[in-house]
Coordinates of all heavy atoms in Angstrom, one line a residue:
Chain B
A759 N -3.9 17.3 8.5 CA -4.9 16.6 7.7 C -6.3 16.8 8.1 O -7.2 16.6 7.3 CB -4.6 15.1 7.8
I760 N -6.6 17.3 9.3 CA -7.9 17.5 9.8 C -8.8 18.4 8.8 O -9.8 18.0 8.4 CB -7.9 18.1 11.2 CG1 -7.5 17.0 12.2 CG2 -9.3 18.6 11.6 CD1 -7.3 17.4 13.6
P761 N -8.3 19.6 8.5 CA -9.2 20.4 7.6 C -9.4 19.8 6.2 O -10.5 20.0 5.6 CB -8.4 21.8 7.5 CG -7.0 21.5 8.0 CD -7.1 20.4 8.9
L762 N -8.4 19.0 5.8 CA -8.6 18.3 4.5 C -9.7 17.3 4.6 O -10.6 17.1 3.7 CB -7.3 17.7 4.0 CG -6.1 18.7 3.9 CD1 -4.8 17.9 3.5 CD2 -6.4 19.7 2.8
Y763 N -9.7 16.5 5.8 CA -10.6 15.4 5.9 C -12.0 15.9 6.2 O -13.0 15.3 5.8 CB -10.1 14.6 7.1 CG -10.9 13.3 7.3 CD1 -11.2 12.4 6.3 CD2 -11.4 13.0 8.6 CE1 -11.9 11.3 6.5 CE2 -12.2 11.9 8.8 CZ -12.4 11.0 7.8 OH -13.1 9.9 7.9
I764 N -12.2 17.1 6.9 CA -13.5 17.6 7.2 C -14.0 18.6 6.1 O -15.0 19.2 6.3 CB -13.6 18.2 8.6 CG1 -12.7 19.4 8.7 CG2 -13.3 17.2 9.7 CD1 -12.8 20.2 10.0
S765 N -13.2 18.7 5.0 CA -13.6 19.7 4.0 C -14.7 19.1 3.2 O -15.2 18.0 3.3 CB -12.4 19.9 3.1 OG -12.2 18.8 2.2
D766 N -15.2 20.0 2.3 CA -16.3 19.5 1.4 C -15.7 19.0 0.1 O -16.4 18.9 -0.9 CB -17.3 20.6 1.1 CG -16.7 21.9 0.6 OD1 -15.5 21.9 0.3 OD2 -17.4 22.9 0.5
Y767 N -14.4 18.8 0.0 CA -13.7 18.4 -1.2 C -13.7 16.9 -1.3 O -13.0 16.2 -0.5 CB -12.3 19.0 -1.2 CG -11.6 18.8 -2.6 CD1 -12.2 19.3 -3.8 CD2 -10.4 18.2 -2.7 CE1 -11.6 19.1 -5.0 CE2 -9.8 18.1 -3.9 CZ -10.4 18.5 -5.0 OH -9.8 18.4 -6.3
A768 N -14.5 16.3 -2.2 CA -14.8 14.9 -2.1 C -13.5 14.0 -2.0 O -13.5 13.0 -1.3 CB -15.6 14.5 -3.4
Q769 N -12.5 14.3 -2.8 CA -11.3 13.4 -2.9 C -10.6 13.2 -1.6 O -9.9 12.2 -1.3 CB -10.3 13.9 -4.0 CG -10.9 13.9 -5.3 CD -9.9 14.3 -6.4 OE1 -8.8 13.8 -6.4 NE2 -10.3 15.1 -7.3
L770 N -10.7 14.2 -0.7 CA -10.0 14.1 0.6 C -11.0 13.8 1.7 O -10.7 13.1 2.6 CB -9.3 15.5 0.9 CG -8.2 15.9 -0.2 CD1 -7.7 17.3 0.1 CD2 -7.1 14.9 -0.2
R771 N -12.2 14.3 1.5 CA -13.2 14.1 2.6 C -13.6 12.6 2.7 O -13.8 12.2 3.8 CB -14.5 14.9 2.1 CG -15.7 14.8 3.1 CD -16.9 15.4 2.4 NE -17.3 14.6 1.3 CZ -18.0 15.1 0.3 NH1 -18.5 16.3 0.3 NH2 -18.3 14.3 -0.8

Side-chain angles (χ1 to χ4, degrees):
Chain B
I760 290 177
L762 303 176
Y763 185 52
I764 61 175
S765 73
D766 56 7
Y767 191 54
Q769 296 186 44
L770 301 171
R771 182 191 62 200

